[in-house]
Amino acid sequence: MNSEPSTDDAKFRYGAALAEQIELKWQQIWSDQGTHQTPNPTGKLAADDTLDPARKLFVMDMFPYPSGSGLHVGHPLGYIASDVYSRYMRMKGKVVLHPFGFDAFGLPAEQYAIETGQHPAITTEQNIANMRRQLGRLGLNHDPRRAISTADPKFYRWTQWIFLQLFNSWCDPATGQARPVSDLIAEFEQGSREPKSETNPENRPWSELDDVTKRRVIDSYRLAFQSEAPVNWCPGLGTVLANEEVTTDGRSQVGNYPVYRRRMKQWMLRITAFADRLLSDLDSLDWTESLKTMQRNWIGRSVGADIRFQADAGSGIQVFTTRPDTLFGATFLVLAPEHPLVKELTADEWPQETPDEWKGTAQFGAETAASPRSAVTAYVEQTARVSDRQRQAETSKTAVFLGSYAVNPVSGEKMPILISDYVLVGYGTGAIMAVPAHDQRDYELATEINLPLVPVVRPDEQWLSEHEGAVADRPATWGEAFHADGTLVNSHGTGISLDGLGTDEAKDRVASWLEESGLGARRITYKLRDWLFSRQRYWGEPFPIVYDETGLPIALPESQLPVELPPMTDFRPQAVGEDEDPKAPLSRAPGFEHVELDLGDGLREYRRETNTMPQWAGSCWYYLRYLDPDNDQCFVDPDVEKFWMAGTGEDGRIGGVDLYIGGVEHAVLHLLYSRFWHKVLFDLGHVSTPEPFQRLYNQGYILADAFTNSNGRYVPALEVEETPDGPTYQGEPVKRHYGKMGKSLKNSISPDEIYQSYGADTLRMYEMVMGPLDVDRPWQPDDIVGVYRFLQRLWRNVVNEDTGALRAEAPTLAADDALYKLTHRTISEVTGYFDDMRFNVAIARMIELNNALTQFVQRENAFPREAVEALVLMTFPLASHVSSELWERLGHQDRIDDVAFPAADPDALQEDSITIPVTLNNKPRGTITIAKDADQEGAMAAAQQLENVAGLMEGQDVVRVVFVPGKILNIVTKPQK
RNA sequence: GCGGGCGUGGCGAAAUGGCAUACGCGGCAGGUUUAGGUCCUGUUGGUGGAGACACCGUGCGGGUUCAAAUCCCGCCGCCCGCACCA
């Protein structure tokens, strides 16, 4: 394959060398003249003149982490798109903010540093420099003054500040909004609110509590709080991870290491308190439906009821169910193996006549199954070995009976209590009432180990007929649970009867009954869990938190921010034993953990928090820092924030970033976390919109061939050779795959190669012409010449390739000239396509115009200025350097950056006559050219002139004529009798 | 299993009810050139025909309509997300 274009024989042909010369020249000019600096309404970056808020447009990319392997051609796809769009919008008169930065803290950067044995501060800096160079070569129009890095203390000072906002806030359940903790304390002191009982077991009034208890109570309300809970522990990374960072098969997203469940005390953020708003506010956003669906699924709202069951021991077992209507059919209870009541409810001996299936005999052997305690212990240990996600693999259900019973409050029946790993401790209450006749999972367990089934919803006849051998009142014959709605049966007891009711009515009746009798209440639960926010890693934001002798956390005052990350030479995470708590690297930093501080009551000793914040902390709010990057008084000036974020009111927009472009992989990570932080900042009055990102656009991925060897490992795609027997690597046959370009598939292609062969403008244009922006597309290097030739021809139409001089200029085009009309029609269409970010079709139209222009120039040996300038201006957002160069060569003193996008001449779009197809019985038979306002008779008359049509109509009766002005003439005929 | 999306030439793709395949790549033929490349011109869905043309053709089957790639119903295939969530 010869991908190298030949060296140009014409000295001034637009080739790779000339393109590079032009590109570097204009990048220098842009940098020298500050072309891409966007003014602010006020502050350090303020403009000389006032800015019109109605014209503002905030266009942003998801910023990258500074990868060590540099950029591949898949990375800049979104960056180019946002660049093209922002340049276009600027030409359309918008004041466009288009910034760029680096997500420099976090696991990927730290893992890279460990691999290379260098300090992350150094590798991060190097990687940022390298990525800046590669991106700079693309000529992106980012405002250089607003470049940010989340690992910069001037940046993370404010990340820490926002953390303190969370720490110093609580969520008022009455309004669902964040409020300052000081309000909470005031309410306690006034007696208008009673402390929750969990932290105040004796329910003593606030004024009688000692200081430490008061602090405990308050801490339990905070949006940032510490909690001892089962977490995702990843020994391979030496840290805990958020649920969102664990893959479906129970491994870490970064590094693909196994993840285990383990109880640890960690920092959590109370995102669950905002679940409802995170869900309902999705409706107001201009995001794709599939992305909204992903967030909705992740939040996972379900409506039901809590029910408390009285058990042999303890104060009762609380369960959550979405089907309270089936309460009479609840024949046993199942707890998660980790449920706190398991120990208490485990009996010393098996009750008489306990079936062997309930004892786990088959699983653990007769010896272990000899007592409830040993069987339960064995079962709990077994489930602890695998992660939540792995537990969900499709295997037959297992369970162990605790040896104790509860009572069904409506039927009065005895219900055995079991533990099973299909009940998850983190969802609902960690316990369920099993209704085996009407829940598939319960059905499977009940039939597996022989538990009683009671039908309480009568299956309909159709369902019964579809299930062979199914008898309505014998669920064991059904083969599966009947979980649809229906009519209640077998559901009457003392004080309540549901027989004959429909599902919805019955749900309502039971819920009311539960509330009246004090046995339960209506409740809504979410799959979303609180966000585990601490990591036992080095390369992240330190917490602005210290501990005093009580061990309770204390927020550092704002004046002591930032808490800088101390320099360390050995910053690796430490391996620890199974029962040992991991030690965060910062605890080894000399002089960091134990400090003497004056927090207002004199110098005292404190212990610093040594965990760091996760990857996502900086990206939760970075878009706000772009607005006011140098402000050292606050995280963003309120007036500046309002200017860029406020909704324009257009199309009911509520405000936020006007266009946010990025990959779909952040659907439930960054995008959910960020929305959460933004809502807290909104509630506290720090930002003016309830949502951060009004419009979100997911660009597709660039795909490329990838190859695996016989071990299933990926081999470098660039070194694979194509042979008649298939692809080979180092002589060995390899298997071809196809996937997202990137490091993991070893199929990256560097943009540097494309710059060398064609230049950056060609690369920009190629990435935009490949296909629709939101669709995955294969990297096809052979196709690049298409847009390269386009730019070459455009250049040649203006510049004499041999001399470098401007070609002769043709006289002004007449208004009825075909090229004039095509020019304006193209402007009109391209404008629409740019507005919709359909750059591939816009480019196709430009190529058509350029082809027509080329013929004109060849014929006349001169170029028509209108057509050329329109093309140069339309090309500018895409191929900015060569367009700038041509604009200058065309004799313009003004910068093309400041020129308005061309407007179509409305007269040129008006055609006096139009050509439409004629179909006879729906078969195309030719075209007619008729007056624009011709009527059906006129069209028919013209059609009769067509030899074809006239001939075929001979001997036919016209049954119907469909004339759609401007579209078609269809004549329906049938043979004459 | 549930939810969402997609299926059009040799390839990337246009057309969102009105001439299917715009534009680009690749192919074929010709011109320029010592030659190759570059560049330029023509041509390029399939079948038949010398040709004008004719018939067929948007995953498969049905439907609505004067008219369907497009709308509706049912299959098939691929991709993405979720997945024991009580």
Side-chain angles (χ1 to χ4, degrees):
Chain A
M1 183 183 72
N2 179 17
S3 62
E4 285 287 310
S6 71
T7 48
D8 313 315
D9 35 15
K11 208 173 160 203
F12 295 94
R13 172 164 299 169
Y14 181 79
L18 183 58
E20 183 179 81
Q21 202 185 316
I22 290 170
E23 285 157 12
L24 297 181
K25 167 187 163 182
W26 284 98
Q27 282 161 18
Q28 192 62 50
I29 290 174
W30 293 334
S31 164
D32 292 346
Q33 300 190 351
T35 310
H36 299 144
Q37 295 183 3
T38 304
N40 267 355
T42 143
K44 282 186 194 162
L45 306 184
D48 299 334
D49 40 355
T50 47
L51 299 178
D52 176 7
R55 284 170 51 216
K56 73 93 187 180
L57 189 78
F58 187 1
V59 178
M60 198 177 91
D61 298 284
M62 288 187 189
F63 67 166
Y65 74 86
S67 156
S69 42
L71 287 180
H72 60 68
V73 293
H75 285 117
L77 180 67
Y79 308 154
I80 295 169
S82 71
D83 196 69
V84 173
Y85 188 70
S86 59
R87 284 177 185 273
Y88 165 73
M89 283 312 221
R90 195 169 164 195
M91 293 176 91
K92 294 294 271 186
K94 296 284 188 188
V95 181
V96 181
L97 178 61
H98 186 226
F100 199 79
F102 290 93
D103 192 11
F105 267 144
L107 279 173
E110 186 176 337
Q111 287 296 95
Y112 178 77
I114 290 171
E115 278 162 32
T116 58
Q118 281 176 288
H119 195 276
I122 295 168
T123 54
T124 299
E125 202 175 312
Q126 286 170 350
N127 294 345
I128 287 179
N130 186 42
M131 286 178 81
R132 273 199 208 291
R133 182 188 59 76
Q134 286 185 310
L135 287 169
R137 192 62 189 78
L138 272 171
L140 303 173
N141 69 345
H142 305 130
D143 185 340
R145 303 170 306 168
R146 298 174 190 260
I148 53 164
S149 157
T150 53
D152 182 345
K154 289 205 288 293
F155 181 94
Y156 70 70
R157 169 193 172 166
W158 297 108
T159 311
Q160 293 172 340
W161 179 84
I162 296 173
F163 176 83
L164 290 182
Q165 301 303 304
L166 287 148
F167 182 79
N168 288 320
S169 305
W170 61 295
C171 183
D172 186 341
T175 59
Q177 286 176 343
R179 293 174 60 189
V181 160
S182 53
D183 287 3
L184 180 70
I185 297 170
E187 290 188 13
F188 286 149
E189 280 172 357
Q190 289 158 16
S192 58
R193 183 179 294 274
E194 291 296 322
K196 281 187 292 192
S197 55
E198 296 102 277
T199 44
N200 179 23
E202 288 140 52
N203 277 321
R204 289 191 306 180
W206 177 257
S207 55
E208 288 174 27
L209 296 178
D210 60 67
D211 284 352
V212 172
T213 309
K214 279 183 178 171
R215 281 172 65 185
R216 281 218 172 83
V217 169
I218 295 162
D219 286 351
S220 73
Y221 281 83
R222 298 181 187 274
L223 295 184
F225 63 102
Q226 287 180 302
S227 147
E228 169 117 23
V231 295
N232 302 300
W233 165 242
C234 179
L237 291 170
T239 185
V240 297
L241 296 170
N243 292 318
E244 290 81 2
E245 292 171 305
V246 181
T247 62
T248 313
D249 46 344
R251 301 180 85 90
S252 60
Q253 280 198 339
V254 173
N256 201 33
Y257 298 105
V259 171
Y260 303 91
R261 297 295 283 181
R262 192 175 155 179
R263 284 187 86 82
M264 281 188 211
K265 188 176 183 184
Q266 296 292 328
W267 281 98
M268 310 288 282
L269 298 187
R270 208 180 297 282
I271 190 171
T272 51
F274 295 79
D276 240 351
R277 285 165 70 196
L278 289 168
L279 195 64
S280 57
D281 286 357
L282 281 173
D283 297 341
S284 63
L285 298 179
D286 195 2
W287 295 16
T288 59
E289 239 359 88
S290 70
L291 204 98
K292 289 185 186 181
T293 305
M294 278 190 229
Q295 290 221 343
R296 287 189 188 114
N297 287 344
W298 192 262
I299 296 167
R301 181 179 198 262
S302 44
V303 180
D306 273 344
I307 306 177
R308 195 163 58 252
F309 289 81
Q310 200 46 240
D312 292 349
S315 55
I317 300 168
Q318 185 122 321
V319 307
F320 172 73
T321 179
T322 55
R323 292 295 301 272
D325 56 305
T326 61
L327 182 53
F328 282 93
T331 53
F332 55 99
L333 293 181
V334 189
L335 310 190
E338 304 90 340
H339 196 284
L341 292 177
V342 167
K343 213 171 198 175
E344 191 179 344
L345 293 168
T346 303
D348 293 330
E349 285 172 21
W350 297 117
Q352 294 263 308
E353 291 169 33
T354 300
D356 271 357
E357 297 105 301
W358 297 11
K359 299 177 183 172
T361 311
Q363 259 181 294
F364 306 114
E367 204 175 315
T368 304
S371 81
R373 203 158 298 281
S374 58
V376 165
T377 305
Y379 195 89
V380 169
E381 274 174 7
Q382 183 190 279
T383 47
R385 275 198 293 275
V386 290
S387 73
D388 246 19
R389 305 282 190 128
Q390 283 167 312
R391 270 161 62 173
Q392 298 168 8
E394 275 176 50
T395 50
S396 58
K397 301 263 179 296
T398 57
V400 168
F401 177 40
L402 295 182
S404 60
Y405 293 88
V407 181
N408 185 315
V410 282
S411 68
E413 294 288 326
K414 250 170 87 171
M415 306 167 78
I417 306 168
L418 299 94
I419 54 171
S420 175
D421 60 7
Y422 79 87
V423 177
L424 307 173
V425 73
Y427 183 74
T429 63
I432 61 156
M433 64 173 205
V435 185
H438 306 292
D439 179 282
Q440 184 57 24
R441 295 149 302 179
D442 300 343
Y443 186 92
E444 284 167 24
L445 178 63
T447 49
E448 187 77 31
I449 65 169
N450 204 14
L451 287 152
L453 296 99
V454 174
V456 290
V457 183
R458 199 193 145 81
D460 53 79
E461 291 306 321
Q462 194 194 338
W463 190 87
L464 286 171
S465 68
E466 282 164 6
H467 291 75
E468 213 179 317
V471 179
D473 54 1
R474 290 186 46 219
T477 65
W478 296 353
E480 63 171 344
F482 175 75
H483 48 74
D485 291 0
T487 305
L488 275 285
V489 294
N490 297 332
S491 297
H492 50 274
T494 40
I496 181 164
S497 174
L498 307 172
D499 285 340
L501 296 182
T503 299
D504 288 339
E505 244 179 316
K507 278 181 183 171
D508 198 53
R509 182 80 59 92
V510 172
S512 299
W513 180 84
L514 288 167
E515 283 169 355
E516 282 157 23
S517 58
L519 287 173
R522 290 177 171 85
R523 188 172 150 196
I524 295 166
T525 61
Y526 300 90
K527 284 200 287 189
L528 183 71
R529 323 235 183 122
D530 281 329
W531 177 13
L532 195 158
F533 195 68
S534 40
R535 299 289 181 275
Q536 292 72 50
R537 294 291 294 225
Y538 171 68
W539 193 236
E541 298 86 349
F543 282 76
I545 291 286
V546 294
Y547 302 91
D548 61 10
E549 64 286 347
T550 65
L552 296 175
I554 299 170
L556 288 172
E558 262 184 71
S559 60
Q560 296 196 13
L561 301 185
V563 178
E564 288 209 36
L565 191 62
M568 289 182 78
T569 46
D570 181 12
F571 47 83
R572 284 172 303 176
Q574 229 167 15
V576 290
E578 230 174 86
D579 299 318
E580 218 179 323
D581 273 349
K583 286 290 267 178
L586 287 189
S587 63
R588 308 195 304 268
F592 181 81
E593 185 171 7
H594 298 282
V595 284
E596 267 202 347
L597 298 170
D598 183 351
L599 300 183
D601 51 356
L603 270 183
R604 291 176 58 186
E605 281 190 10
Y606 296 96
R607 181 170 59 80
R608 278 195 201 277
E609 172 63 64
T610 54
N611 283 315
T612 51
M613 298 186 199
Q615 171 92 75
W616 315 101
S619 60
C620 266
W621 74 282
Y622 73 112
Y623 53 95
L624 293 166
R625 193 59 180 172
Y626 282 140
L627 306 179
D628 201 6
D630 298 319
N631 195 327
D632 51 13
Q633 298 304 308
C634 59
F635 78 119
V636 56
D637 179 278
D639 290 333
V640 174
E641 188 275 332
K642 217 163 277 149
F643 178 81
W644 288 112
M645 296 292 283
T648 56
E650 259 174 87
D651 316 320
R653 297 204 162 170
I654 58 164
V657 176
D658 294 287
L659 177 64
Y660 192 22
I661 297 184
V664 75
E665 70 270 21
H666 292 300
V668 291
L669 288 155
H670 159 60
L671 288 172
L672 195 61
Y673 297 151
S674 198
R675 293 181 61 217
F676 160 49
W677 278 34
H678 197 89
K679 286 190 185 308
V680 174
L681 292 172
F682 175 70
D683 291 349
L684 298 177
H686 297 303
V687 297
S688 53
T689 64
E691 284 284 335
F693 313 118
Q694 170 67 60
R695 180 176 178 203
L696 182 75
Y697 192 99
N698 293 121
Q699 89 277 13
Y701 292 115
I702 287 185
L703 310 175
D705 280 336
F707 302 90
T708 50
N709 63 16
S710 53
N711 302 330
R713 288 186 184 274
Y714 284 99
V715 300
L718 278 177
E719 293 165 39
V720 168
E721 287 177 54
E722 299 288 349
T723 71
D725 304 326
T728 63
Y729 172 70
Q730 296 180 343
E732 298 291 316
V734 288
K735 201 173 152 201
R736 185 187 303 272
H737 302 262
Y738 187 56
K740 185 178 155 189
M741 184 179 287
K743 207 166 60 174
S744 51
L745 302 193
K746 294 194 179 169
N747 59 353
S748 295
I749 291 159
S750 164
D752 295 344
E753 298 170 35
I754 315 298
Y755 300 149
Q756 254 170 42
S757 309
Y758 302 101
D761 278 332
T762 297
L763 176 62
R764 289 169 59 104
M765 204 141 188
Y766 173 61
E767 298 221 358
M768 292 300 99
V769 85
M770 292 167 87
L773 196 56
D774 56 350
V775 169
D776 292 350
R777 74 285 307 274
W779 182 255
Q780 300 197 125
D782 292 348
D783 283 0
I784 300 174
V785 286
V787 283
Y788 180 62
R789 286 175 189 151
F790 164 70
L791 293 177
Q792 230 168 23
R793 284 177 197 146
L794 175 60
W795 175 267
R796 190 163 44 232
N797 285 332
V798 181
V799 178
N800 183 318
E801 287 190 327
D802 297 316
T803 65
L806 206 64
R807 277 177 178 274
E809 198 174 321
T812 306
L813 293 172
D816 60 348
D817 188 285
L819 186 56
Y820 183 87
K821 288 189 169 180
L822 179 63
T823 301
H824 287 274
R825 203 163 59 238
T826 305
I827 292 170
S828 165
E829 290 182 15
V830 166
T831 302
Y833 290 135
F834 268 141
D835 284 336
D836 297 340
M837 293 204 294
R838 300 192 56 203
F839 304 125
N840 57 328
V841 201
I843 293 169
R845 292 291 104 82
M846 291 183 211
I847 292 175
E848 274 178 297
L849 175 58
N850 192 45
N851 289 345
L853 175 67
T854 303
Q855 293 194 348
F856 182 102
V857 171
Q858 277 173 7
R859 193 173 65 230
E860 308 287 333
N861 204 23
F863 69 81
R865 184 166 279 268
E866 304 94 302
V868 163
E869 291 198 344
L871 251 180
V872 167
L873 289 169
M874 286 190 284
T875 313
F876 173 71
L878 295 147
S880 309
H881 311 85
V882 67
S883 298
S884 298
E885 179 70 18
L886 287 171
W887 189 251
E888 187 183 63
R889 284 175 181 248
L890 284 163
H892 291 283
Q893 303 296 313
D894 54 350
R895 299 186 310 185
I896 191 172
D897 307 75
D898 299 328
V899 177
F901 199 79
D905 171 6
D907 291 339
L909 302 180
Q910 296 297 323
E911 292 288 349
D912 298 335
S913 59
I914 48 172
T915 301
I916 60 165
V918 177
T919 58
L920 210 57
N921 298 319
N922 305 317
K923 291 205 187 300
R925 297 299 179 186
T927 59
I928 51 172
T929 300
I930 51 173
K932 189 182 52 153
D933 50 1
D935 59 7
Q936 184 170 312
E937 277 86 84
M940 277 301 280
Q944 311 268 8
Q945 301 293 309
L946 294 174
E947 216 174 289
N948 217 0
V949 174
L952 285 161
M953 280 174 70
E954 215 155 290
Q956 304 277 318
D957 280 332
V958 173
V959 178
R960 181 167 182 178
V961 175
V962 180
F963 176 62
V964 184
K967 294 275 193 186
I968 204 167
L969 175 69
N970 185 27
I971 305 163
V972 185
T973 64
K974 69 169 189 198
Q976 285 170 351
K977 296 230 171 80

